[in-house]
Amino acid sequence: MTGDCIDCLEWHQGDDLPAGLDPAAAGTHIGMFLTWIILNDCTSEAHEDDHAEALEAVQSRTLTGRGYLMDKCGGNLRDTDLGEDAQLFAKEYYGSNAEGHSPYLEDYERTLAAGLPSIYHVQDGWDNYDLLAPVIDAAYERWTASQQ
């Protein structure tokens, strides 16, 4: 798929990724956000049409969002992977704010990476997603209220 990259695996590999970690660890934070998108039915119609079985695997928790990201998105989360409202939400929440910080990455780090050497040390799994999901839910509720 084409479209603007919201976050791309390759941006986090190389010097950013601590030595000794699986290269896939560079995509855990992207996959966690993508999981929320999938579980809240915010993917684009193209994903619904082309990857229904994989979406169902995430919804039934037999595939993580990072797995979906790698298998179906080539490691890149693009605006065209998201539905229209989700694109707007991601631009504000996942993208950098006026101070140059991503509210999502700040929430991710505070919720899952506190005490870890880096955000890349967060384990990809449903327990961690379940800790992060209410934080994203709250951000989405604030964003939705700000749109009215």
Side-chain angles (χ1 to χ4, degrees), residues 62-118:
T62 59
L63 177 67
T64 65
R66 185 178 83 184
Y68 186 94
L69 177 75
M70 304 300 234
D71 294 344
K72 303 301 178 191
C73 303
N76 302 319
L77 180 61
R78 299 185 178 282
D79 56 0
T80 53
D81 296 326
L82 312 179
E84 190 174 314
D85 283 347
Q87 288 180 26
L88 297 172
F89 172 60
K91 183 175 183 179
E92 187 169 312
Y93 181 56
Y94 203 116
S96 295
N97 60 21
E99 293 82 39
H101 302 283
S102 163
Y104 168 70
L105 289 178
E106 289 175 347
D107 285 348
Y108 180 89
E109 186 169 8
R110 184 177 47 258
T111 305
L112 300 178
L116 297 176
S118 75

